[in-house]
Amino acid sequence: MVPTAGEPAAGDSWGMLACLCTVLWHLPAVPALNRTGDLGPGPSIQKTYDLTRYLEHQLRSLAGTYLNYLGPPFNEPDFNPPRLGAETLPRATVDLEVWRSLNDKLRLTQNYEAYSHLLCYLRGLNRQAATAELRRSLAHFCTSLQGLLGSIAGVMAALGYPLPQPLPGTEPTWTPGPAHSDFLQKMDDFWLLKELQTWLWRSAKDFNRLKKKMQPPAAAVTVHLGAHGF
Amino acid sequence: MAAPVPWACCAVLAAAAAVVYTQRHSPQEAPHVQYERLGSDVTLPCGTANWDAAVTWRVNGTDLAPDLLNGSELVLRGLELGHSGLYACFHRDSWHLRHQVLLHVGLPPREPVLSCRSNTYPKGFYCNWHLPTPTYIPNTFNVTVLHGSKIMVCEKDPALKNRCHIRYMHLFSTIKYKVSISVSNALGHNATAITFDEFTIVKPDPPENVVARPVPSNPRRLEVTWQTPSTWPDPESFPLKFFLRYRPLILDQWQHVELSDGTAHTITDAYAGKEYIIQVAAKDNEIGTWSDWSVAAHATPWTEEPRHLTTEAQAAETTTSTTSSLAPPPTTKICDPGELGSGGGPSAPFLVSVPVTLALAAAAATASNLLIW
């Protein structure tokens, strides 16, 4: 199902990327968990938290390898470029009070949307990567990231929140602009990895917060089951 | 008639005396402040006096030897810190003060050492600075904080001169912070800067109130409790994990335990009777580095009160109990040598207390043999 907006031009990899991203958005929703007799969202929140830690660990080595492949100055520890371009990347940064006061649904939705976008862009990165080893690492990471998305979807389903559907015209497309030079492309890659890393740190905090909020209800569910003589 | 004239005369004389007095004893001008570099040579001219004027120099009121003079100028070679002071030159004959110099000997600043740390994440962070070697003269520091292109305010610490505080406006930022410091004094200038991500400088303060207690009736256990550092603003949303280390004082090797939550832990493998030293450190669950080790707690595991046994006292005790009832002696009789000969009774794994039990049993058996049979 290819939308009319963002029709791929001949040989335009970004157009193909737009196509892929649209397909991703229209994947069938994760089937709702069987809510009778389950322990509530607690265990799946824990699992999602664990996944963010695993991914963060995996990203560290992947990013190191990829930045070395990009070469200097991208792999220098003090590299501190201004944030130009890459405007469509989902930003993890948020005002402290706003972050604290996010309701559960919004918190989960922001995470889900962010990783959907990021996964899409990462798949684009994979297509451009020069070495087979890099493509393998990226593909592996994409699979893990897909798992995280599924896990977040599971939590949302357990809590009865609908999965975010993209509005027409707001699909994540990355239009490079007139002459997207090699250097600017590398800058985009740099920011993608940076944003991914920051999102994983943020998600750990997000799921920590959710875990703490969910704990009392989960215990109540267990007691309830016990009373039924299971 | 002549009365007003003497009065006027006195007034004029007094005024003249005052002028002469002030001319002699107070400076013509405020002392000239001068900074010079340690180890260098300096020549101090006597104000506007001619080179060949006859002058005497004094430092802090003490005369200086004339061989230091070059004409009316004072020459100091190889300045040392002790050369700092108030130098004054006087007209040799009239003792009229010509010029004063307040000399400070020091050094230009070397590159400052700057470090930043967040022990109050997510509220903010602070930066500390110092000079690696002293300059011996006053320095001024200027700190600027940039977040991308945005300038942030670094508020001076009310108590510490070399610290300032920055509040986070946003969390989870991908843009690095750049903290620059410049230091200058009368002899020179230096600067440095550091760049870092929000997450890398997170380091909590050590856990507080670490207390270790023995566990009654458990000779190998110690119960340790502590509190999250009071400076960590939000342990609910930003939980800490802990690292505990302990060793008996007599050994050098530490045992380590990492704890993902909770502020208590029971050590179960302590050496009986040995005094232990215990410390705890804290870290945010996901980001940053471990805190320093807490203040150490000391504790010794519980030990049984030593009992002093003599066989006479024990036999007397057993005899009384046997006469009071015809029932067999109390349960301390585990292994009766008499019973063993006839085919044995139940064996119990009381390894430690066997020697004591056997002695008691022997005494009991003897007593019962004497009395019952």
Side-chain angles (χ1 to χ4, degrees):
Chain A
M1 226 168 81
V2 177
T4 47
E7 260 176 13
D12 181 351
S13 59
W14 293 115
M16 285 195 275
L17 178 65
C19 176
L20 274 173
C21 291
T22 333
V23 169
L24 182 69
W25 277 106
H26 290 283
L27 279 174
V30 174
L33 294 173
N34 179 9
R35 308 232 328 254
T36 54
D38 74 43
L39 296 166
S44 53
I45 292 178
Q46 179 64 48
K47 191 183 108 187
T48 316
Y49 170 84
D50 292 337
L51 268 172
T52 66
R53 306 297 295 128
Y54 170 66
L55 276 162
E56 193 251 308
H57 187 259
Q58 219 187 326
L59 181 62
R60 256 184 265 166
S61 54
L62 174 63
T65 315
Y66 197 86
L67 291 175
N68 277 331
Y69 158 70
L70 291 180
F74 302 100
N75 56 353
E76 283 161 16
D78 279 349
F79 185 46
N80 187 20
R83 181 77 177 248
L84 298 168
E87 273 111 17
T88 50
L89 272 182
R91 295 190 185 215
T93 188
V94 63
D95 180 75
L96 173 58
E97 285 314 315
V98 170
W99 179 81
R100 263 221 192 92
S101 57
L102 283 174
N103 64 47
D104 296 346
K105 180 176 170 197
L106 203 50
R107 197 179 289 276
L108 284 162
T109 308
Q110 286 186 358
N111 271 271
Y112 187 86
E113 285 180 338
Y115 289 117
S116 304
H117 283 66
L118 291 167
L119 179 58
C120 204
Y121 292 133
L122 258 183
R123 287 191 167 138
L125 205 73
N126 198 1
R127 297 167 71 77
Q128 315 277 322
T131 72
E133 193 197 318
L134 261 178
R135 279 199 291 275
R136 206 166 32 241
S137 306
L138 279 166
H140 181 213
F141 190 84
C142 283
T143 313
S144 308
L145 193 53
Q146 178 83 71
L148 175 62
L149 260 178
S151 197
I152 300 174
V155 173
M156 292 182 80
L159 291 170
Y161 301 136
L163 278 185
Q165 294 298 316
L167 296 168
T170 60
E171 286 101 3
T173 58
W174 198 336
T175 46
H180 207 58
S181 78
D182 191 42
F183 182 78
L184 285 178
Q185 180 61 62
K186 287 183 179 178
M187 277 300 294
D188 285 342
D189 296 350
F190 172 83
W191 283 118
L192 172 60
L193 291 170
K194 198 85 196 270
E195 209 49 80
L196 194 45
Q197 181 182 58
T198 312
W199 261 109
L200 287 168
W201 274 324
R202 172 175 159 176
S203 294
K205 301 296 183 205
D206 278 323
F207 284 99
N208 248 332
R209 217 171 153 78
L210 283 165
K211 204 174 20 170
K212 287 257 148 58
K213 291 176 80 177
M214 296 293 151
Q215 258 156 14
V221 168
T222 330
V223 168
H224 182 69
L225 287 172
H228 278 272
F230 273 79
Chain B
M1 236 109 69
V5 176
W7 273 115
C9 210
C10 282
V12 168
L13 275 173
V19 167
V20 170
Y21 183 87
T22 49
Q23 270 199 338
R24 270 202 68 181
H25 292 276
S26 64
Q28 303 283 43
E29 68 233 37
H32 169 69
V33 179
Q34 193 163 333
Y35 292 93
E36 292 296 333
R37 200 180 167 135
L38 192 66
S40 66
D41 302 337
V42 68
T43 302
L44 300 174
C46 181
T48 52
N50 291 329
W51 182 86
D52 54 359
V55 298
T56 312
W57 278 92
R58 277 183 171 177
V59 58
N60 297 335
T62 311
D63 283 349
L64 283 168
D67 58 349
L68 292 170
L69 293 175
N70 176 10
S72 64
E73 297 175 341
L74 180 65
V75 178
L76 299 170
R77 296 195 187 283
L79 283 175
E80 296 167 8
L81 293 175
H83 282 115
S84 301
L86 181 63
Y87 290 80
C89 80
F90 299 88
H91 192 266
R92 188 175 298 155
D93 301 322
S94 67
W95 282 102
H96 171 63
L97 176 64
R98 301 289 319 250
H99 185 61
Q100 280 192 329
V101 176
L102 188 57
L103 182 68
H104 299 278
V105 179
L107 288 165
R110 290 181 53 186
E111 189 178 311
V113 175
L114 178 65
S115 64
C116 297
R117 176 178 159 221
S118 175
N119 62 341
T120 56
Y121 192 75
K123 275 219 185 113
F125 63 95
Y126 68 83
C127 294
N128 266 353
W129 57 88
H130 69 269
L131 289 172
T133 51
T135 60
Y136 309 105
I137 56 179
N139 308 299
T140 44
F141 294 91
N142 191 8
V143 178
T144 48
V145 181
L146 276 178
H147 184 211
S149 55
K150 205 171 128 201
I151 297 175
M152 298 183 77
V153 174
C154 194
E155 287 165 19
K156 291 203 178 307
D157 188 284
L160 295 163
K161 277 193 335 170
N162 60 342
R163 181 180 290 196
C164 67
H165 299 266
I166 299 105
R167 289 196 321 144
Y168 282 125
M169 292 298 152
H170 292 97
L171 285 190
F172 314 118
S173 176
T174 47
I175 298 172
K176 289 189 165 156
Y177 291 83
K178 181 172 177 179
V179 181
S180 319
I181 184 169
S182 69
V183 55
S184 56
N185 64 21
L187 295 174
H189 166 90
N190 214 321
T192 192
I194 55 172
T195 319
F196 51 85
D197 276 311
E198 178 186 317
F199 300 118
T200 51
I201 59 165
V202 176
K203 177 178 169 178
D205 284 331
E208 294 172 1
N209 207 14
V210 180
V211 174
R213 274 181 285 254
V215 181
S217 307
N218 280 283
R220 301 204 66 191
R221 290 187 175 216
L222 285 170
E223 190 187 291
V224 190
T225 56
W226 59 91
Q227 285 160 359
T228 57
S230 52
T231 46
W232 194 251
D234 194 355
E236 284 290 306
S237 299
F238 297 85
L240 294 170
K241 61 179 175 182
F242 300 99
F243 207 78
L244 196 119
R245 71 175 185 180
Y246 58 97
R247 65 173 172 87
L249 283 180
I250 52 173
L251 294 180
D252 286 331
Q253 191 119 18
W254 293 95
Q255 299 270 83
H256 294 106
V257 182
E258 185 166 327
L259 303 155
S260 53
D261 59 28
T263 53
H265 176 73
T266 305
I267 296 166
T268 54
D269 61 349
Y271 290 115
K274 300 285 178 275
E275 185 182 346
Y276 269 77
I277 177 169
I278 298 131
Q279 289 179 296
V280 192
K283 180 183 175 300
D284 176 276
N285 256 334
E286 294 95 27
I287 59 179
T289 54
W290 286 99
S291 72
D292 292 338
W293 290 107
S294 68
V295 169
H298 291 254
T300 309
W302 175 89
T303 47
E304 200 175 312
E305 280 298 309
R307 275 181 289 178
H308 300 289
L309 298 159
T310 60
T311 36
E312 282 172 46
Q314 206 54 49
E317 202 179 287
T318 336
T319 320
T320 2
S321 64
T322 327
T323 46
S324 62
S325 75
L326 292 174
T331 48
T332 47
K333 175 188 177 239
I334 301 301
C335 182
D336 186 353
E339 278 183 5
L340 271 178
S342 61
S347 63
F350 286 107
L351 300 164
V352 177
S353 51
V354 160
V356 175
T357 323
L358 279 174
L360 286 173
T366 327
S368 62
N369 284 332
L370 287 172
L371 293 165
I372 294 174
W373 294 97

